[in-house]
């Protein structure tokens, strides 16, 4: 495979850009597909996100960070990578966020049906202390006292088990946003539990958070965009 020639600002020359379907077209770094978002050209000539990586046709890949999607739009990288005349809509960054959020909400609902996603402060606290929780979730507008108590449980679990890392804690949606996404399954405090579906929830939550923050907590400056 021919590597793309790099210009001073990280762009590749038009005639030398060769797309590897596992290489981010912005950073030119080979990355695990799980950490990338695939894009294809839609029938109307618009760039379409393909989160499930199932749409037909030539695709290109961008690491799952909103700043990189915006950079691809600014540098007109989609047309070059897809080798066709496509237009990236101005709200593409918002569209990807909405799709990632909907994917996460759908997995939360599936995990709940599999008894691997619970809500309620007491249930979450117990799941954390027992080590059953893979990740905890708080509404952005959850009361600080409720979050603090579950954080204390996370700390106690880590100290009691000598774990190298805390159980991750996410704040991604307000209650109103969750009600729109999940209806009656909206929550203030929740936890993903051990199991395949629970792992799927944490995986998708991490991807959404990384997309919003670039992997740096609080990078967007919003209470709903960080992991503690």
């Amino acid at each position: 495979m021919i590597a793309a020639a790099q210009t001073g600002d990280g762009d590749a020359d038009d005639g030398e850009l060769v797309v590897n379907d596992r290489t981010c077209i912005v950073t030119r770094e080979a990355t695990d597909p799980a950490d990338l978002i695939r894009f294809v050209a839609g029938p109307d000539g618009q760039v379409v996100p393909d989160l499930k990586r199932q749409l037909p046709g030539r695709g290109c890949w961008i690491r799952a960070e909103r700043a990189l999607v915006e950079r691809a739009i600014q540098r007109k990288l989609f047309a070059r990578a897809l080798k066709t005349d496509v237009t990236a809509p101005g709200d593409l960054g918002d569209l990807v966020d909405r799709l990632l959020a909907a994917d996460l909400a759908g997995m939360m609902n599936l995990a709940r049906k599999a008894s691997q996603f619970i809500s309620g402060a007491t249930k979450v606290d117990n799941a954390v202390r027992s080590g059953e929780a893979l990740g905890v979730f708080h509404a952005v507008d959850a009361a600080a006292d409720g979050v603090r108590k579950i954080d204390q449980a996370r700390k106690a679990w880590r100290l009691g088990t000598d774990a190298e890392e805390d159980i991750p804690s996410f704040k991604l949606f307000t209650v109103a946003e969750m009600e729109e996404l999940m209806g009656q399954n909206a929550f203030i405090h929740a936890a993903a539990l051990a199991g395949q579906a629970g792992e799927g929830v944490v995986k998708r939550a991490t991807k959404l958070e990384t997309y919003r923050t670039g992997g740096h907590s609080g990078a967007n400056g919003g209470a709903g965009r960080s992991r503690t």
Side-chain angles (χ1 to χ4, degrees), residues 77-117:
L77 296 182
F78 287 108
R80 292 162 57 186
L82 295 171
K83 297 188 180 301
T84 188
D85 186 17
V86 294
T87 302
D91 65 345
L92 183 61
D94 288 335
L95 174 59
V96 172
D97 188 287
R98 291 195 299 272
L99 291 174
L100 289 171
D103 190 37
L104 170 58
M107 181 51 79
M108 286 176 170
N109 286 334
L110 285 175
R112 189 185 294 274
K113 292 177 181 178
S115 300
Q116 294 174 24
F117 193 80

Side-chain angles (χ1 to χ4, degrees), residues 168-189:
S169 176
F170 300 89
K171 292 181 181 179
L172 297 168
F173 308 116
T174 64
V175 172
E177 288 169 338
M178 279 189 287
E179 288 176 345
E180 183 175 350
L181 282 167
M182 304 173 68
Q184 64 182 7
N185 287 333
F187 57 83
I188 303 296
H189 308 285

Side-chain angles (χ1 to χ4, degrees), residues 7-204:
T7 63
D9 63 356
D11 281 337
D13 292 336
D14 288 344
E16 299 180 69
L17 180 63
V18 178
V19 176
N20 179 335
D21 66 355
R22 295 298 184 272
T23 297
C24 174
I25 65 171
V26 180
T27 67
R28 305 302 302 156
E29 296 174 350
T31 307
D32 187 324
D35 298 323
L36 298 166
I37 297 172
R38 183 176 185 259
F39 295 86
V40 299
D44 59 353
Q46 294 277 305
V47 175
V48 177
D50 179 21
L51 265 61
K52 296 185 181 298
R53 306 195 288 270
Q54 295 176 343
L55 294 179
R58 185 185 185 92
C60 65
W61 302 75
I62 297 178
R63 198 168 69 213
E65 297 179 17
R66 179 168 184 148
L68 297 181
V69 174
E70 302 289 357
R71 197 180 307 168
I73 297 172
Q74 294 167 0
R75 296 183 179 179
K76 304 184 186 304
L77 296 182
F78 287 108
R80 292 162 57 186
L82 295 171
K83 297 188 180 301
T84 188
D85 186 17
V86 294
T87 302
D91 65 345
L92 183 61
D94 288 335
L95 174 59
V96 172
D97 188 287
R98 291 195 299 272
L99 291 174
L100 289 171
D103 190 37
L104 170 58
M107 181 51 79
M108 286 176 170
N109 286 334
L110 285 175
R112 189 185 294 274
K113 292 177 181 178
S115 300
Q116 294 174 24
F117 193 80
I118 59 172
S119 57
T122 300
K123 290 181 180 179
V124 173
D125 188 280
N126 291 338
V128 169
R129 293 182 185 276
S130 70
E132 190 179 6
L134 299 179
V136 301
F137 299 81
H138 306 288
V140 172
D141 40 355
D145 185 57
V147 175
R148 178 182 57 78
K149 290 179 180 178
I150 293 172
D151 283 345
Q152 289 174 343
R154 290 168 59 224
K155 183 177 180 180
W157 171 83
R158 181 176 181 183
L159 292 175
T161 60
D162 292 326
E164 294 184 359
E165 296 183 358
D166 285 329
I167 295 170
S169 176
F170 300 89
K171 292 181 181 179
L172 297 168
F173 308 116
T174 64
V175 172
E177 288 169 338
M178 279 189 287
E179 288 176 345
E180 183 175 350
L181 282 167
M182 304 173 68
Q184 64 182 7
N185 287 333
F187 57 83
I188 303 296
H189 308 285
L193 307 182
Q196 185 175 1
E199 290 173 0
V201 170
V202 174
K203 177 181 176 181
R204 286 163 174 77

